Amino acid sequence: MTEVPEGTVVDGRYRVVGRLGTGGMADVFLAEDQQLGRKLALKLLHQRFAQDPGFVERFRREAQAAAGLQHPNVVSVYDRGAYDSTYYIAMEYVPGRTLKQVIREEAPVDPVRAIDLVTEILKAVRFAHRHGVIHRDLKPQNVIVDDADHAKVTDFGIARAGASDMTETGSILGTAQYLSPEQAQGHAVSPSSDLYSIGVILYELLTGRVPFDAEAAVTVAIKHVSEPPIAPRTLHPVIPPELEQVALWSLNKKPADRPASAEEFLAALKHARAAIVSGVPGERPTAMTAVVAGAGVAAAGAAAAPLAYPSAFPESTPATTLPPAGNGRALQQEPQQRNQGRRDLWLWLGLLALLLAAAAAAAVFLLTSANQVTVPSVVDKRLSVAEKTLRRAGFKVTIGRARSTRAAGVVIRQNPPARSLANQGTTVRLTVSAGPGTSKVPQLRGTPLTQAEGLIRHAGLKVGKVQYVQDTAVPAGVVSSSSPFGGEAVPRGTAVELFVSSGPPKVSVPGVTGETEVVARAMLGAAGFTVTVTTKTTAGAPAGTVVSQIPGAGTQLTPGSTVSIVVAQKPPITTVTVPDVTGAAASQARSTLTAAGFNVIQTPRTVTRKAKSGIVLSQSPAGGSSAKKGTTVTIVVGSFSKPPTSTTPTTPTTPTTPTTPTTPTTPTTPTTGGRVARVP
């Protein structure tokens, strides 16, 4: 078991959310694609196998084979790569249960539901077979049933693509309970091997158990080869006979005795479903010969027993007694009586002749009817089965062919007709369909839907079901693929299913408002979006941060769409001349400075002159200088205060000793207003 902790990011992209399950060669985890924002299933090869080139090649081939199978009933593969000394595959995550879980919890299931589930499995397999891929390991564990009860096939881990076959002779790949007899013997597989495995799944859905089981896988394999399955109605009597026949038909030991293709299997299930729903059984559309124990004894479709007829002879008539001779009267009447007697004699002789003729005819009838049997009905059967049925009933066969809308190789007429009597050894002429002719399916990928429909009809084909699928490489409304695929030769009139792109899957836009431009670009780019940036001058957000985005967070867009973000930037730095407000009234000075974009602080200074009160005495910065808008200008405003009055006169002081002036050697030059004043 591979241990990958929750939160681990695989290959730098896939964040592990939790474990979904463990298989024989790999573990499966629920993960989130951090680039596309979607959940997916991540399959990691067990590390003990990662060193084995054979296992690695099979694992690689699974991704390659499954990636080419884009079908609603096949789990899609997105990516593959290497991680931590092993390998991984990223595939579609389908919420739901495995079909094995459904069987364990609910089997035996309703016959109609069983038909619907198996029909979807067959559609997936039919698509794979047409692309040259044989699954080789079909089992309920490899089928996921979603919440709408639709089935999807997964795990092409041991599928064989094209002509490559990496298994050695005699090796067995697959799960024992669902192996075909040829796989159990190590023989080459074919599409019929997948159909056998689907037959086992159908059997298990109807009965709640597999047809062959044992403790050892080898024992189970031997049972597949040599033992007949128990009839499903023996285990669950409510199973409709028509559906039991389909199940047994698919479980024949020889591939040639099973349905010839998934298409034929589907037709038989469709017929059985119609019979179940309507309650009116009808003729089977295909030859369903269920061979018991591989011994060639037919459990269905055998000729009716010869009819028994009653004897053609009546009971014996009593002898006639003639009247005796009488009297004279009788003699007189003798001629008349003689004539009457003659007539009676001839009458009896004629009657005897008729009786002898009837007896002879009856004898011939009995002798010939003893060798006559009822001619079996072989119309709608494949030629190989029709021939076996007729020869087994004692008839010879001649074959003619004719074009028809029926598939090539199917009997469309027989002579003598079905249920008539014919001698053993009689030749029955069969008219076999040569098919309607073939047409090549046009190459439709990349073609608009209406144009594709016209091309299909022009090729002599029919437009089948149209389904919409996500495709990152094809625009919405354009054909992504078709089934059958382009270039394939198919019978004229075949319905071509179209898979039309609904565009790439949409991704939720992450919210980046408040993030820095660098982080926002990284988040949007990782989600698969293109980013455009515009700036906006604002003082309400830090420069370089995202202030808005279009579309908003949570909007669903296709990868590659454009998301626009607006990034904040600071206002540009500008300088202006500071107005000179010295000498102006304080109120006028404040208005002037504010209008110029400056902040103002006012401080008072005492003045003794009333004229200076309320007047700007000085300012800083000075008027006429340059400063940034928003700078604070301090103005000093005069505030009048009356000077104090002196009441005591000053008395001069008389020195007691006269001062002797000192004559300087250098005269003192007083300075006044920057000018030199000389003393005289």
Side-chain angles (χ1 to χ4, degrees):
M1 181 181 295
T2 305
E3 292 299 334
V4 182
E6 182 179 336
T8 301
V9 178
V10 174
D11 206 9
R13 177 171 179 177
Y14 306 110
R15 185 177 62 83
V16 173
V17 177
R19 181 184 295 273
L20 291 175
T22 299
M25 60 184 288
D27 293 300
V28 184
F29 299 89
L30 176 63
E32 182 180 356
D33 186 338
Q34 294 186 312
Q35 288 189 13
L36 299 181
R38 64 181 175 189
K39 290 183 178 179
L40 49 81
L42 196 69
K43 177 179 287 189
L44 284 170
L45 180 67
H46 291 164
Q47 289 191 347
R48 66 179 183 275
F49 296 137
Q51 307 305 317
D52 185 330
F55 273 101
V56 172
E57 176 60 19
R58 280 170 51 198
F59 200 71
R60 183 201 62 78
R61 190 176 59 199
E62 172 181 356
Q64 183 176 346
L69 300 178
Q70 299 297 318
H71 188 274
N73 297 116
V74 176
V75 174
S76 299
V77 170
Y78 301 140
D79 189 17
R80 63 185 174 91
Y83 169 76
D84 193 22
S85 302
T86 188
Y87 300 87
Y88 72 83
I89 294 175
M91 63 183 67
E92 176 186 6
Y93 169 60
V94 182
R97 299 175 291 170
T98 66
L99 186 57
K100 191 66 175 180
Q101 290 173 304
V102 173
I103 291 171
R104 287 171 179 164
E105 295 168 8
E106 303 178 28
V109 303
D110 176 76
V112 172
R113 184 186 178 202
I115 290 174
D116 291 344
L117 289 169
V118 172
T119 293
E120 293 194 326
I121 297 171
L122 279 167
K123 287 182 177 180
V125 171
R126 177 182 63 181
F127 184 77
H129 289 177
R130 287 174 174 172
H131 286 72
V133 177
I134 302 171
H135 192 290
R136 300 172 64 132
D137 192 22
L138 285 165
K139 56 188 176 184
Q141 293 90 329
N142 285 340
V143 178
I144 300 175
V145 180
D146 64 18
D147 297 335
D149 216 36
H150 294 302
K152 283 200 170 193
V153 180
T154 186
D155 197 355
F156 284 78
I158 58 174
R160 185 181 73 179
S164 64
D165 188 354
M166 295 174 54
T167 63
E168 298 177 359
T169 303
S171 64
I172 298 176
L173 294 177
T175 304
Q177 286 81 359
Y178 304 92
L179 284 177
S180 65
E182 56 269 25
Q183 283 176 286
Q185 297 174 84
H187 295 165
V189 299
S190 67
S192 184
S193 305
D194 280 350
L195 302 186
Y196 182 94
S197 299
I198 295 174
V200 177
I201 294 173
L202 175 60
Y203 187 104
E204 189 176 9
L205 281 166
L206 295 174
T207 66
R209 54 171 284 183
V210 291
F212 307 109
D213 204 1
E215 291 185 4
V218 173
T219 305
V220 177
I222 293 172
K223 289 184 176 183
H224 277 292
V225 175
S226 60
E227 291 187 11
I230 299 173
R233 284 166 56 84
T234 302
L235 301 172
H236 194 48
V238 300
I239 298 171
E242 298 88 351
L243 189 53
E244 179 185 59
Q245 290 299 316
V246 177
L248 292 174
W249 182 35
S250 64
L251 293 177
N252 279 322
K253 306 300 182 187
K254 297 179 180 179
D257 293 328
R258 300 173 203 150
S261 63
E263 190 71 46
E264 195 169 65
F265 203 155
L266 283 165
L269 285 177
K270 181 179 179 181
H271 164 78
R273 191 183 195 280
I276 294 168
V277 172
S278 66
V280 180
E283 287 192 18
R284 293 185 292 273
T286 53
M288 292 187 290
T289 304
V291 179
V292 180
V297 179
L307 297 176
Y309 287 87
S311 172
F313 293 101
E315 295 182 359
S316 299
T317 305
T320 303
T321 303
L322 296 176
N327 53 22
R329 184 178 177 183
L331 293 173
Q332 293 176 357
Q333 296 175 348
E334 184 176 343
Q336 182 179 355
Q337 291 174 346
R338 186 181 299 116
N339 291 334
Q340 181 66 36
R342 288 173 180 169
R343 285 195 296 272
D344 290 344
L345 178 60
W346 285 111
L347 180 62
W348 285 110
L349 289 174
L351 181 59
L352 180 60
L354 288 174
L355 290 174
L356 290 173
V364 171
F365 174 79
L366 290 173
L367 289 172
T368 57
S369 65
N371 292 323
Q372 286 188 323
V373 293
T374 302
V375 179
S377 175
V378 294
V379 173
D380 293 332
K381 299 181 184 295
R382 296 192 67 81
L383 176 59
S384 60
V385 177
E387 283 188 289
K388 289 179 183 177
T389 302
L390 290 169
R391 296 189 193 282
R392 194 177 294 149
F395 295 100
K396 297 178 181 178
V397 178
T398 61
I399 300 167
R401 298 186 182 273
R403 289 283 184 193
S404 78
T405 57
R406 300 299 306 276
V410 174
V411 176
I412 56 177
R413 288 188 296 277
Q414 68 179 84
N415 188 27
R419 290 178 288 279
S420 63
L421 287 174
N423 292 333
Q424 288 187 333
T426 299
T427 298
V428 178
R429 179 173 177 79
L430 301 179
T431 303
V432 180
S433 173
T438 60
S439 295
K440 279 192 175 182
V441 179
Q443 297 289 351
L444 301 173
R445 180 174 172 83
T447 305
L449 175 59
T450 53
Q451 183 180 344
E453 291 174 334
L455 291 172
I456 290 171
R457 295 189 182 99
H458 187 264
L461 305 170
K462 296 179 181 178
V463 178
K465 187 176 180 181
V466 177
Q467 301 186 57
Y468 286 85
V469 296
Q470 294 179 340
D471 193 324
T472 57
V474 178
V478 173
V479 174
S480 174
S481 62
S482 65
S483 177
F485 55 87
E488 183 177 353
V490 296
R492 294 181 65 83
T494 296
V496 179
E497 291 184 73
L498 292 175
F499 300 96
V500 180
S501 173
S502 59
K506 292 189 176 181
V507 181
S508 180
V509 176
V512 296
T513 301
E515 303 287 350
T516 65
E517 179 183 347
V518 173
V519 172
R521 282 180 178 274
M523 291 174 63
L524 293 169
F529 298 112
T530 301
V531 183
T532 61
V533 180
T534 57
T535 58
K536 178 181 179 181
T537 300
T538 177
T545 59
V546 177
V547 294
S548 64
Q549 66 180 86
I550 299 175
T555 305
Q556 298 292 313
L557 297 178
T558 55
S561 299
T562 299
V563 177
S564 299
I565 61 174
V566 178
V567 177
Q569 69 176 12
K570 289 183 177 180
I573 298 174
T574 58
T575 59
V576 294
T577 302
V578 180
D580 186 356
V581 294
T582 304
S587 58
Q588 180 62 42
R590 285 194 301 270
S591 298
T592 300
L593 291 169
T594 302
F598 296 100
N599 299 318
V600 181
I601 294 178
Q602 179 177 323
T603 60
R605 179 181 294 174
T606 302
V607 294
T608 58
R609 295 174 58 191
K610 286 186 178 181
K612 294 292 184 178
S613 181
I615 302 300
V616 177
L617 303 177
S618 64
Q619 70 180 79
S620 179
S625 63
S626 296
K628 298 176 184 176
K629 282 189 175 183
T631 299
T632 298
V633 178
T634 302
I635 58 175
V636 179
V637 178
S639 174
F640 173 73
S641 177
K642 186 176 181 181
T645 304
S646 177
T647 57
T648 303
T650 304
T651 302
T653 304
T654 304
T656 57
T657 304
T659 303
T660 302
T662 304
T663 303
T665 56
T666 305
T668 302
T669 307
T671 2
T672 304
R675 294 181 180 181
V676 178
R678 297 185 179 272
V679 178

